[in-house]
Amino acid sequence: MADLKPYAALIGGRFRSATTYRASFAVELLTNAGATAVDVSTIFVLFHAAKVVGGFTLGEALLMTGLTASGFVLADLTVGNIDQLKTYVRMGTLDSVLVRPLGILPQLVIADLPLRKLMRFVVGLAVLVVAVASNDIAWTAGNVVLLIVAPLAGAVFFGSIFVLSASLAFWWVDSGEVGAAFTYGGRDFTSYPITVYGTWFRAIFAYGLGFGFVSYHPALTLLGRADPLGLPAWAGYLSPLVALAAAGIAGFVWRIGVRHYRSTGS
Amino acid sequence: MRASVATFGALMWSGFRRYATYRQATVAGSFTNIVFGFLRCYVLLAVAAGAAGGVAGGYDARQLATFVWVGQGLLNVVGLWGWNDLAERIRTGDIAADLLRPVPPVTAYLAADLGRAGYQTLTRFVPPVIVGALAFPLVAPSRWQTVPLFAASVLLAVVGCYGCRYLVNATAYWLGDARGPLMFWTLSSGVLAGLYFPLRLLPEWLTVTLWVATPIPGLLQTPLDVLVERDGPALQAGLVGLQAVWAVIMVALAGVVQRRAERKLVVQGG
């Protein structure tokens, strides 16, 4: 346990710095809860304009949104702040992280204590609960396990995407918001039934990058609905495998990236 | 008078040049705009396909696609997100140096922001619009007054957005740090400006209230509605007029807030 002490000290320091500007922090807390609420209300607005979107009803789509929201929020809460890596690389502050005898990834993960994102998690989970309640799900053992595993697998998957996107900065310091296309873009992609997207775009995001297994396929399995795109019913159970594969790739790229890193010298 | 015009021009040019140095970031940002363009366009087209008569919120499929792609192009021209220069200078105390200059901060930052918008019109506006036009059928304006009205509307959106951002940043004078207000701004401006979905999909009373009571729909929704000719010419001119009123109010408010802040400002640091 003594090994965790330095991390606890880091967390304590971040906690104090996060709460120094108290009014600003309070606004951050509330805004974070609002962020997920806005994503979800967008679904309601769109389904108000059309009863069926991409062949799915609001209730069915909400299950996909709920799985995405809870998985994404869990990833964002834990490793989401890694997207600050490009700033650390540019400013040269990554050096101070590298010289400490602690893990690089864990240090960066707690570098900006995501306390303000806690509220977001509550909202994300609430969406999933409402979505499950508003659908007629057969409570088989397989479905119960899937309902617990799918958000966790989603979190691991999104966490891997966060790490992969951030790793870009090791090679391309000025990568700007490219990472956001896959982290936040991936979240938006998985919030809707993938039947709404054009063929090649869907092929890249859903199957090339694996986003189809975050919420679309698990939701179909939970709903007991056949996939209009033709994948078998058990495809939903692939979500943890896809997540683990993503985590493996992310870990590999991250390690190469750290070795590739050259300080700016500042 | 001539001297101040020259100063304003020089500050604009410096804003233009500052953004022109981030060439890789320009490419990276356009890529992201394009990915989000595809995401939002497909979703809205699916909504239109599922809506009665293929029309959602009064827009047909072509108008929705145009709305999304031009919106992605305008996002950075208007500069909805990512400006915290002022808040940082307040937090670090560097703002003291700005106050010694002969040009008031609200004017100086406005000039630099117009320069920025000019550069981003050349670089960030065009790529998403071209990709969108290649991948989806878009609409071209049919009325002669649409293009000049759109140009005026974009300029007003830039100025109005600058005023809003200045006010959000200026909360740092009182709070010490504007991170919370900036996050709040990012969230509310995205949804209320019509970036995630056209506001016309909301109930009419809500859309009208947002338009009249807040400056935010004027930052994106108004220019886009003008361009896709969602309404008749008279209503379009009215919306741009409303946008102008809000732009003037926001910049004037920024000036008032700045002067109040200067009276109480205690610069931190050495």
Side-chain angles (χ1 to χ4, degrees):
Chain A
M1 277 319 271
D3 290 334
L4 294 178
K5 250 189 168 165
Y7 293 115
L10 278 175
I11 291 182
R14 298 307 171 188
F15 180 80
R16 283 194 299 280
S17 82
T19 48
T20 299
Y21 300 106
R22 233 167 276 167
S24 193
F25 181 68
V27 179
E28 276 187 298
L29 264 183
L30 282 177
T31 306
N32 264 289
T36 304
V38 165
D39 291 342
V40 176
S41 33
T42 301
I43 311 280
F44 280 92
V45 171
L46 296 181
F47 274 90
H48 177 72
K51 294 284 155 271
V52 176
V53 174
F56 289 84
T57 62
L58 173 62
E60 294 168 326
L62 203 58
L63 188 57
M64 295 166 198
T65 313
L67 288 172
T68 295
S70 43
F72 181 85
V73 166
L74 211 51
D76 195 21
L77 186 66
T78 46
V79 300
N81 285 312
I82 196 75
D83 61 9
Q84 287 301 309
L85 181 71
K86 54 178 180 280
T87 315
Y88 302 139
V89 170
R90 197 179 58 230
M91 309 286 278
T93 39
L94 189 65
D95 296 11
S96 69
V97 170
L98 291 174
V99 297
R100 290 185 200 139
L102 301 172
I104 298 162
L105 199 52
Q107 281 191 71
L108 290 177
V109 161
I110 54 179
D112 189 4
L113 194 77
L115 268 185
R116 57 200 153 83
K117 291 180 181 167
L118 274 174
M119 297 282 277
R120 213 185 263 200
F121 182 58
V122 177
V123 180
L125 215 54
V127 176
L128 184 59
V129 169
V130 170
V132 168
S134 60
N135 278 292
D136 192 16
I137 297 173
W139 290 114
T140 61
N143 274 351
V144 172
V145 172
L146 186 60
L147 185 59
I148 296 164
V149 168
L152 296 175
V156 172
F157 187 85
F158 276 119
S160 312
I161 300 292
F162 268 114
V163 171
L164 273 171
S165 304
S167 303
L168 261 183
F170 286 122
W171 288 274
W172 183 11
V173 178
D174 231 356
S175 61
E177 299 131 26
V178 164
F182 300 102
T183 52
Y184 296 95
R187 179 198 60 192
D188 288 3
F189 180 87
T190 54
S191 293
Y192 299 91
I194 66 172
T195 47
V196 306
Y197 303 107
T199 335
W200 64 269
F201 189 78
R202 180 171 62 215
I204 294 174
F205 259 84
Y207 302 111
L209 300 174
F211 282 105
F213 298 94
V214 170
S215 63
Y216 176 73
H217 286 296
L220 285 183
T221 307
L222 286 171
L223 293 167
R225 230 191 108 152
D227 179 13
L229 301 171
L231 245 64
W234 47 262
Y237 293 106
L238 290 178
S239 86
L241 291 180
V242 175
L244 286 178
I249 296 170
F252 182 69
V253 172
W254 173 263
R255 268 194 295 277
I256 299 178
V258 171
R259 240 174 286 148
H260 188 269
Y261 171 71
R262 296 278 175 276
S263 172
T264 54
S266 48
Chain B
M1 181 63 201
R2 272 212 11 227
S4 58
V5 170
T7 311
F8 196 82
L11 287 167
M12 268 178 76
W13 179 232
S14 78
F16 185 97
R17 279 213 329 260
R18 177 182 163 195
Y19 280 84
T21 53
Y22 303 137
R23 246 168 288 167
Q24 289 193 341
T26 302
V27 175
S30 294
F31 171 80
T32 306
N33 289 148
I34 288 166
V35 172
F36 278 97
F38 277 110
L39 284 166
R40 296 197 174 119
C41 193
Y42 281 127
V43 170
L44 285 178
L45 290 181
V47 169
V55 173
Y59 307 90
D60 63 25
R62 280 166 175 264
Q63 285 173 312
L64 282 174
T66 313
F67 191 99
V68 168
W69 287 101
V70 177
Q72 288 298 314
L74 274 188
L75 177 57
N76 288 87
V77 174
V78 172
L80 215 50
W81 295 338
W83 189 74
N84 65 347
D85 292 16
L86 178 67
E88 273 302 293
R89 288 185 77 78
I90 296 167
R91 195 179 63 83
T92 56
D94 290 340
I95 189 71
D98 296 346
L99 298 180
L100 295 174
R101 296 196 181 115
V103 185
V106 176
T107 315
Y109 279 113
L110 175 62
D113 200 56
L114 288 173
R116 175 201 61 74
Y119 174 74
Q120 298 198 317
T121 304
L122 297 178
T123 57
R124 296 292 292 271
F125 180 75
V126 178
V129 175
I130 288 180
V131 172
L134 290 175
F136 298 91
L138 304 185
V139 276
S142 65
R143 298 194 284 256
W144 67 267
Q145 66 274 51
T146 296
V147 173
L149 199 60
F150 174 68
S153 182
V154 170
L155 182 65
L156 289 170
V158 172
V159 174
C161 186
Y162 165 76
C164 294
R165 281 183 277 123
Y166 197 98
L167 287 168
V168 174
N169 271 261
T171 57
Y173 280 120
W174 287 270
L175 303 179
D177 164 88
R179 263 175 62 158
L182 278 165
M183 268 184 71
F184 184 72
W185 165 253
T186 303
L187 176 73
S188 47
S189 63
V191 63
L192 298 183
L195 181 69
Y196 302 148
F197 54 83
L199 297 178
R200 297 315 240 306
L201 293 178
L202 294 170
E204 199 183 340
W205 63 266
L206 186 53
T207 315
V208 173
T209 309
L210 287 173
W211 232 310
V212 175
T214 79
I216 307 181
L219 309 185
L220 218 52
Q221 177 83 29
T222 305
L224 293 172
D225 271 356
V226 167
L227 184 70
V228 303
E229 297 175 335
R230 165 68 174 67
D231 309 293
L235 183 52
Q236 297 216 318
L239 286 173
V240 176
L242 187 58
Q243 205 190 354
V245 170
W246 269 114
V248 169
I249 292 176
M250 295 321 279
V251 174
L253 212 54
V256 172
V257 166
Q258 177 63 31
R259 279 191 296 279
R260 292 290 296 267
E262 282 169 19
R263 282 213 309 247
K264 67 146 292 237
L265 181 67
V266 178
V267 172
Q268 313 187 29

